[in-house]
Amino acid sequence: MRDSRETLVKKAFVVGYPIAHSRSPLLHNHWLRVFGIDGSYDRIEISPSEFPQFVARLKSGEAGLIGGNVTIPHKELAFQLADRPDELSEELGAANTLWFEDSALRATNTDGYGFVSNLDQRHPRWDKTDRAVVFGAGGASRSILLALRDRGFREIHVVNRTLDRARELADRFGSTIHAHPLEALSEVMQDAGLFVNTTSVGMEGKQAAIDIDFSRLSSGAVVTDIIYVPLETPILVQARRQGFATVDGLGMLLHQAVPGFEKWFGVRPDVTEELRQLVIADMGQGA
Ligand code: NAP
Protein backbone atom coordinates (compact mmCIF):
# COMPACT_ATOMS: atom_id res chain seq x y z
CA MET A 1 0.00 0.00 0.00
CA ARG A 2 1.22 3.51 -0.81
CA ASP A 3 2.50 5.51 2.13
CA SER A 4 0.35 8.65 1.97
CA ARG A 5 2.78 10.48 4.27
CA GLU A 6 4.75 11.17 1.10
CA THR A 7 2.28 13.85 0.00
CA LEU A 8 3.21 17.53 -0.17
CA VAL A 9 0.87 18.66 2.59
CA LYS A 10 2.22 17.57 5.97
CA LYS A 11 -0.66 16.48 8.18
CA ALA A 12 -0.41 16.35 11.98
CA PHE A 13 -3.10 15.83 14.62
CA VAL A 14 -4.19 15.87 18.22
CA VAL A 15 -6.05 12.74 19.27
CA GLY A 16 -8.20 12.37 22.40
CA TYR A 17 -11.64 11.48 23.70
CA PRO A 18 -13.33 13.93 23.92
CA ILE A 19 -11.23 16.36 21.88
CA ALA A 20 -13.50 19.32 20.99
CA HIS A 21 -12.03 21.43 23.84
CA SER A 22 -8.41 21.14 22.65
CA ARG A 23 -6.66 24.43 21.89
CA SER A 24 -3.69 22.69 20.26
CA PRO A 25 -4.97 23.34 16.67
CA LEU A 26 -5.02 27.07 17.44
CA LEU A 27 -1.32 26.99 18.37
CA HIS A 28 -0.05 24.78 15.56
CA ASN A 29 -2.12 26.45 12.83
CA HIS A 30 -0.79 29.83 14.01
CA TRP A 31 2.80 28.57 13.63
CA LEU A 32 2.02 26.99 10.23
CA ARG A 33 0.83 30.44 9.08
CA VAL A 34 3.85 32.23 10.60
CA PHE A 35 6.28 29.95 8.73
CA GLY A 36 4.15 29.68 5.56
CA ILE A 37 4.26 25.86 5.78
CA ASP A 38 1.91 23.84 3.61
CA GLY A 39 0.63 21.70 6.44
CA SER A 40 -2.34 21.01 8.66
CA TYR A 41 -3.03 20.12 12.29
CA ASP A 42 -6.48 18.77 13.15
CA ARG A 43 -8.43 17.28 16.03
CA ILE A 44 -9.21 13.58 15.80
CA GLU A 45 -11.70 12.03 18.23
CA ILE A 46 -10.99 8.35 18.87
CA SER A 47 -12.53 6.25 21.64
CA PRO A 48 -10.25 4.10 23.82
CA SER A 49 -11.38 0.87 22.14
CA GLU A 50 -10.53 2.28 18.67
CA PHE A 51 -7.14 3.72 19.66
CA PRO A 52 -4.99 0.64 18.84
CA GLN A 53 -6.49 0.55 15.34
CA PHE A 54 -5.79 4.28 14.93
CA VAL A 55 -2.11 3.72 15.84
CA ALA A 56 -1.91 0.78 13.41
CA ARG A 57 -3.18 3.01 10.56
CA LEU A 58 -0.78 5.75 11.60
CA LYS A 59 2.16 3.33 11.46
CA SER A 60 1.11 1.89 8.11
CA GLY A 61 1.19 5.35 6.53
CA GLU A 62 -2.28 4.73 5.17
CA ALA A 63 -3.71 7.64 7.20
CA GLY A 64 -1.17 10.06 5.65
CA LEU A 65 -0.29 11.53 9.06
CA ILE A 66 3.25 12.54 10.03
CA GLY A 67 2.65 12.49 13.78
CA GLY A 68 0.77 14.37 16.43
CA ASN A 69 -0.21 14.97 20.01
CA VAL A 70 -2.01 12.55 22.27
CA THR A 71 -4.21 13.64 25.12
CA ILE A 72 -6.53 12.13 27.74
CA PRO A 73 -7.31 9.21 27.89
CA HIS A 74 -4.74 7.80 25.44
CA LYS A 75 -1.36 8.90 26.86
CA GLU A 76 -0.47 5.55 28.48
CA LEU A 77 -1.53 3.47 25.49
CA ALA A 78 0.31 5.79 23.09
CA PHE A 79 3.51 5.10 25.01
CA GLN A 80 2.84 1.33 24.97
CA LEU A 81 2.08 1.18 21.25
CA ALA A 82 5.00 3.31 20.05
CA ASP A 83 7.91 1.46 18.42
CA ARG A 84 10.63 3.50 20.15
CA PRO A 85 9.52 5.59 23.13
CA ASP A 86 12.27 7.84 24.53
CA GLU A 87 13.73 7.48 28.03
CA LEU A 88 11.49 10.15 29.56
CA SER A 89 8.24 8.60 28.36
CA GLU A 90 9.55 5.20 29.53
CA GLU A 91 10.00 6.59 33.02
CA LEU A 92 6.59 8.30 33.00
CA GLY A 93 4.81 5.42 31.27
CA ALA A 94 2.93 7.97 29.18
CA ALA A 95 3.45 9.96 25.98
CA ASN A 96 1.87 13.10 24.53
CA THR A 97 3.88 13.48 21.30
CA LEU A 98 4.33 10.97 18.44
CA TRP A 99 6.53 11.30 15.37
CA PHE A 100 8.37 9.12 12.87
CA GLU A 101 12.11 8.50 12.70
CA ASP A 102 13.48 5.98 10.17
CA SER A 103 9.93 4.64 9.76
CA ALA A 104 9.69 3.88 13.51
CA LEU A 105 6.93 5.52 15.56
CA ARG A 106 8.68 7.44 18.34
CA ALA A 107 7.09 8.85 21.50
CA THR A 108 7.96 11.41 24.13
CA ASN A 109 6.29 13.51 26.78
CA THR A 110 6.66 17.30 26.58
CA ASP A 111 4.54 18.40 29.58
CA GLY A 112 7.55 18.75 31.90
CA TYR A 113 9.47 20.65 29.22
CA GLY A 114 6.46 22.97 28.83
CA PHE A 115 6.30 23.51 32.58
CA VAL A 116 9.96 24.51 33.04
CA SER A 117 10.11 26.53 29.81
CA ASN A 118 7.14 28.61 30.95
CA LEU A 119 8.90 29.45 34.22
CA ASP A 120 12.21 30.09 32.43
CA GLN A 121 10.45 32.58 30.17
CA ARG A 122 8.25 34.36 32.70
CA HIS A 123 10.37 34.28 35.87
CA PRO A 124 13.98 33.44 34.92
CA ARG A 125 15.32 33.05 38.48
CA TRP A 126 12.57 30.65 39.57
CA ASP A 127 14.98 27.72 39.98
CA LYS A 128 17.42 29.43 42.37
CA THR A 129 16.11 27.29 45.20
CA ASP A 130 16.57 23.67 46.27
CA ARG A 131 13.18 23.02 47.79
CA ALA A 132 9.84 22.79 45.99
CA VAL A 133 6.30 21.90 47.06
CA VAL A 134 4.09 20.24 44.45
CA PHE A 135 0.41 20.15 45.39
CA GLY A 136 -1.31 17.22 43.64
CA ALA A 137 -0.25 13.77 42.47
CA GLY A 138 -2.32 13.25 39.32
CA GLY A 139 -1.25 12.82 35.69
CA ALA A 140 0.26 16.28 35.24
CA SER A 141 2.09 16.14 38.56
CA ARG A 142 4.24 13.21 37.35
CA SER A 143 5.80 15.13 34.48
CA ILE A 144 6.40 18.12 36.73
CA LEU A 145 8.08 16.07 39.46
CA LEU A 146 10.50 14.60 36.93
CA ALA A 147 11.17 17.98 35.34
CA LEU A 148 11.99 19.49 38.75
CA ARG A 149 14.18 16.52 39.70
CA ASP A 150 16.02 16.75 36.39
CA ARG A 151 16.47 20.53 36.84
CA GLY A 152 18.40 19.75 40.01
CA PHE A 153 15.90 20.41 42.82
CA ARG A 154 17.18 18.50 45.85
CA GLU A 155 13.97 18.32 47.93
CA ILE A 156 10.61 17.99 46.25
CA HIS A 157 7.60 17.59 48.53
CA VAL A 158 4.47 16.21 46.89
CA VAL A 159 1.29 16.79 48.91
CA ASN A 160 -1.93 15.06 47.94
CA ARG A 161 -5.44 14.55 49.29
CA THR A 162 -5.03 10.81 48.61
CA LEU A 163 -1.71 10.06 50.27
CA ASP A 164 -1.21 6.73 48.49
CA ARG A 165 -1.02 8.43 45.10
CA ALA A 166 1.74 10.74 46.36
CA ARG A 167 3.57 7.78 47.91
CA GLU A 168 3.44 5.88 44.64
CA LEU A 169 5.18 8.77 42.86
CA ALA A 170 7.80 9.16 45.59
CA ASP A 171 8.54 5.42 45.45
CA ARG A 172 8.77 5.47 41.71
CA PHE A 173 10.77 8.62 41.03
CA GLY A 174 13.51 8.44 43.64
CA SER A 175 14.72 9.80 46.94
CA THR A 176 14.45 13.53 46.12
CA ILE A 177 10.66 13.17 46.18
CA HIS A 178 8.83 13.01 49.53
CA ALA A 179 5.11 12.26 49.94
CA HIS A 180 2.79 13.99 52.44
CA PRO A 181 -0.92 14.14 53.27
CA LEU A 182 -2.93 17.35 52.82
CA GLU A 183 -2.67 18.16 56.55
CA ALA A 184 1.10 18.57 56.17
CA LEU A 185 0.86 21.24 53.46
CA SER A 186 1.61 24.22 55.65
CA GLU A 187 4.51 22.49 57.43
CA VAL A 188 6.30 21.35 54.26
CA MET A 189 6.05 24.84 52.79
CA GLN A 190 8.61 26.02 55.35
CA ASP A 191 11.51 27.67 53.44
CA ALA A 192 10.42 26.31 50.07
CA GLY A 193 11.25 28.56 47.13
CA LEU A 194 8.68 27.16 44.71
CA PHE A 195 5.03 26.17 45.11
CA VAL A 196 3.25 24.43 42.23
CA ASN A 197 -0.47 23.71 42.08
CA THR A 198 -1.10 20.67 39.90
CA THR A 199 -4.54 19.84 41.38
CA SER A 200 -7.79 20.78 39.69
CA VAL A 201 -8.67 22.93 42.73
CA GLY A 202 -9.71 26.36 41.46
CA MET A 203 -10.34 25.24 37.88
CA GLU A 204 -13.37 26.88 36.24
CA GLY A 205 -16.47 24.75 36.76
CA LYS A 206 -14.71 22.58 39.38
CA GLN A 207 -14.26 22.83 43.12
CA ALA A 208 -13.81 26.14 44.90
CA ALA A 209 -10.28 26.93 45.96
CA ILE A 210 -8.92 26.14 49.37
CA ASP A 211 -7.28 28.79 51.52
CA ILE A 212 -3.52 28.49 51.54
CA ASP A 213 -1.22 30.37 53.87
CA PHE A 214 1.98 30.97 51.88
CA SER A 215 3.78 32.81 54.68
CA ARG A 216 6.15 29.93 55.42
CA LEU A 217 7.64 30.03 51.92
CA SER A 218 11.05 31.64 51.64
CA SER A 219 11.09 35.32 50.72
CA GLY A 220 11.35 35.62 46.95
CA ALA A 221 9.53 32.31 46.43
CA VAL A 222 7.53 31.76 43.24
CA VAL A 223 4.00 30.34 43.14
CA THR A 224 2.71 28.80 39.93
CA ASP A 225 -0.52 27.08 38.95
CA ILE A 226 -0.82 24.83 35.91
CA ILE A 227 -4.54 25.53 35.57
CA TYR A 228 -5.07 28.20 32.90
CA VAL A 229 -8.88 28.51 32.91
CA PRO A 230 -9.23 30.85 34.66
CA LEU A 231 -5.87 32.44 33.96
CA GLU A 232 -5.85 34.11 37.36
CA THR A 233 -6.64 31.16 39.58
CA PRO A 234 -7.75 31.58 43.20
CA ILE A 235 -4.40 30.13 44.34
CA LEU A 236 -2.44 32.71 42.32
CA VAL A 237 -4.64 35.53 43.60
CA GLN A 238 -4.04 34.44 47.22
CA ALA A 239 -0.27 34.12 46.67
CA ARG A 240 0.01 37.54 45.06
CA ARG A 241 -1.98 39.16 47.87
CA GLN A 242 0.48 37.58 50.30
CA GLY A 243 3.38 39.20 48.43
CA PHE A 244 4.70 36.37 46.24
CA ALA A 245 5.61 36.37 42.56
CA THR A 246 3.21 34.26 40.48
CA VAL A 247 3.30 32.57 37.07
CA ASP A 248 0.13 31.35 35.38
CA GLY A 249 -0.24 28.00 33.58
CA LEU A 250 -0.99 29.13 30.04
CA GLY A 251 2.67 29.15 29.02
CA MET A 252 2.97 25.45 29.93
CA LEU A 253 0.35 24.67 27.28
CA LEU A 254 2.13 26.87 24.71
CA HIS A 255 5.65 25.59 25.38
CA GLN A 256 4.73 21.88 25.49
CA ALA A 257 3.66 22.23 21.85
CA VAL A 258 7.08 23.44 20.62
CA PRO A 259 9.02 20.13 20.38
CA GLY A 260 6.22 18.40 18.46
CA PHE A 261 5.94 21.19 15.88
CA GLU A 262 9.69 21.07 15.34
CA LYS A 263 9.68 17.28 14.86
CA TRP A 264 6.80 17.31 12.35
CA PHE A 265 7.46 20.49 10.39
CA GLY A 266 11.24 20.94 10.78
CA VAL A 267 11.36 24.41 12.35
CA ARG A 268 11.39 25.39 16.01
CA PRO A 269 8.63 27.91 16.74
CA ASP A 270 8.73 30.68 19.37
CA VAL A 271 6.24 31.20 22.14
CA THR A 272 5.42 34.86 21.62
CA GLU A 273 3.13 37.35 23.31
CA GLU A 274 1.09 37.36 20.10
CA LEU A 275 0.41 33.62 20.47
CA ARG A 276 -0.45 34.02 24.14
CA GLN A 277 -2.96 36.77 23.33
CA LEU A 278 -4.47 34.64 20.57
CA VAL A 279 -5.23 31.89 23.07
CA ILE A 280 -6.47 34.33 25.72
CA ALA A 281 -8.87 35.82 23.16
CA ASP A 282 -10.06 32.31 22.32
CA MET A 283 -10.68 31.66 26.00
CA GLY A 284 -13.01 34.65 25.95
CA GLN A 285 -11.05 36.50 28.61
CA GLY A 286 -9.86 39.47 26.55
CA ALA A 287 -6.21 40.54 26.39
P1 NAP B 1 -5.81 14.39 37.56
O1 NAP B 1 -4.88 13.33 37.11
O2 NAP B 1 -7.27 14.12 37.59
O3 NAP B 1 -5.34 14.83 39.05
C1 NAP B 1 -6.12 15.73 39.81
C2 NAP B 1 -5.38 16.09 41.09
O4 NAP B 1 -6.18 17.07 41.80
C3 NAP B 1 -5.18 14.93 42.07
O5 NAP B 1 -3.97 15.10 42.77
C4 NAP B 1 -6.38 15.09 43.01
O6 NAP B 1 -6.19 14.52 44.29
C5 NAP B 1 -6.43 16.60 43.13
N1 NAP B 1 -7.72 17.11 43.57
C6 NAP B 1 -8.87 17.13 42.88
N2 NAP B 1 -9.85 17.70 43.63
C7 NAP B 1 -9.29 18.03 44.83
C8 NAP B 1 -9.78 18.66 46.03
N3 NAP B 1 -11.05 19.05 46.12
N4 NAP B 1 -8.91 18.86 47.05
C9 NAP B 1 -7.61 18.48 46.94
N5 NAP B 1 -7.09 17.88 45.84
C10 NAP B 1 -7.92 17.65 44.80
O7 NAP B 1 -5.66 15.72 36.70
P2 NAP B 1 -4.39 16.21 35.81
O8 NAP B 1 -4.49 15.65 34.46
O9 NAP B 1 -3.15 16.00 36.60
O10 NAP B 1 -4.72 17.77 35.67
C11 NAP B 1 -4.76 18.62 36.81
C12 NAP B 1 -5.00 20.07 36.37
O11 NAP B 1 -3.90 20.51 35.59
C13 NAP B 1 -6.24 20.25 35.51
O12 NAP B 1 -6.88 21.43 35.92
C14 NAP B 1 -5.69 20.40 34.10
O13 NAP B 1 -6.50 21.21 33.28
C15 NAP B 1 -4.36 21.11 34.38
N6 NAP B 1 -3.34 20.86 33.34
C16 NAP B 1 -2.75 21.93 32.74
C17 NAP B 1 -1.76 21.74 31.77
C18 NAP B 1 -1.12 22.91 31.10
O14 NAP B 1 -0.57 22.74 30.00
N7 NAP B 1 -1.12 24.09 31.70
C19 NAP B 1 -1.38 20.42 31.44
C20 NAP B 1 -1.99 19.34 32.07
C21 NAP B 1 -2.98 19.58 33.04
P3 NAP B 1 -6.62 12.99 44.56
O15 NAP B 1 -5.48 12.15 44.08
O16 NAP B 1 -6.80 12.95 46.03
O17 NAP B 1 -7.90 12.74 43.81
Side-chain angles (χ1 to χ4, degrees):
M1 190 175 307
R2 184 170 175 271
D3 186 336
S4 1
R5 281 183 303 238
E6 289 157 15
T7 54
L8 285 177
V9 180
K10 291 180 164 180
K11 295 199 289 182
F13 61 86
V14 56
V15 61
Y17 191 77
I19 196 61
H21 65 281
S22 173
R23 289 200 170 81
S24 292
L26 188 64
L27 313 183
H28 291 283
N29 285 311
H30 168 78
W31 286 328
L32 286 171
R33 277 194 305 278
V34 166
F35 291 109
I37 294 171
D38 196 5
S40 66
Y41 182 101
D42 294 307
R43 295 181 184 88
I44 301 180
E45 186 160 276
I46 300 282
S47 71
S49 63
E50 291 166 329
F51 190 70
Q53 203 186 342
F54 169 78
V55 174
R57 286 191 69 225
L58 176 66
K59 287 184 183 180
S60 74
E62 187 194 332
L65 298 166
I66 58 169
N69 288 122
V70 180
T71 187
I72 291 166
H74 303 312
K75 290 184 178 185
E76 284 80 13
L77 204 48
F79 153 71
Q80 288 163 22
L81 296 173
D83 301 318
R84 275 203 294 135
D86 72 355
E87 231 176 85
L88 178 62
S89 58
E90 293 259 10
E91 192 168 9
L92 285 166
N96 74 345
T97 304
L98 300 174
W99 76 103
F100 287 95
E101 222 173 82
D102 305 325
S103 302
L105 185 64
R106 307 243 22 223
T108 191
N109 199 306
T110 64
D111 284 335
Y113 165 83
F115 173 77
V116 297
S117 302
N118 180 37
L119 286 163
D120 284 342
Q121 187 176 47
R122 300 193 77 82
H123 198 94
R125 292 183 57 76
W126 70 277
D127 59 349
K128 303 291 171 247
T129 167
D130 278 345
R131 187 179 164 102
V133 174
V134 174
F135 180 31
S141 172
R142 289 159 192 249
S143 309
I144 289 169
L145 293 173
L146 284 197
L148 291 175
R149 183 198 69 185
D150 294 347
R151 184 51 86 96
F153 277 76
R154 282 201 288 220
E155 254 187 69
I156 304 167
H157 296 275
V158 55
V159 177
N160 199 45
R161 180 179 61 180
T162 311
L163 178 58
D164 281 352
R165 290 185 89 188
R167 280 201 178 125
E168 188 204 321
L169 300 188
D171 290 347
R172 192 159 146 194
F173 295 146
S175 59
T176 42
I177 296 164
H178 308 272
H180 307 275
L182 203 50
E183 302 74 59
L185 184 61
S186 174
E187 189 187 325
V188 299
M189 281 163 72
Q190 187 71 44
D191 298 329
L194 178 71
F195 179 96
V196 187
N197 178 41
T198 74
T199 72
S200 44
V201 172
M203 190 178 164
E204 204 163 87
K206 292 255 176 169
Q207 313 87 351
I210 57 173
D211 284 333
I212 299 179
D213 175 7
F214 292 100
S215 62
R216 291 191 180 200
L217 292 179
S218 65
S219 63
V222 177
V223 176
T224 185
D225 196 327
I226 67 163
I227 292 173
Y228 58 89
V229 184
L231 203 52
E232 283 270 278
T233 64
I235 285 180
L236 293 184
V237 170
Q238 286 177 42
R240 196 159 9 80
R241 285 195 184 134
Q242 293 175 43
F244 293 94
T246 60
V247 176
D248 67 59
L250 179 55
M252 176 177 169
L253 173 79
L254 307 181
H255 284 278
Q256 64 75 33
V258 168
F261 189 91
E262 185 178 25
K263 288 178 194 310
W264 310 316
F265 301 112
V267 270
R268 191 167 185 85
D270 287 325
V271 171
T272 58
E273 189 55 31
E274 184 192 0
L275 178 63
R276 186 176 155 87
Q277 292 306 326
L278 192 71
V279 180
I280 291 174
D282 186 66
M283 285 161 36
Q285 298 196 3

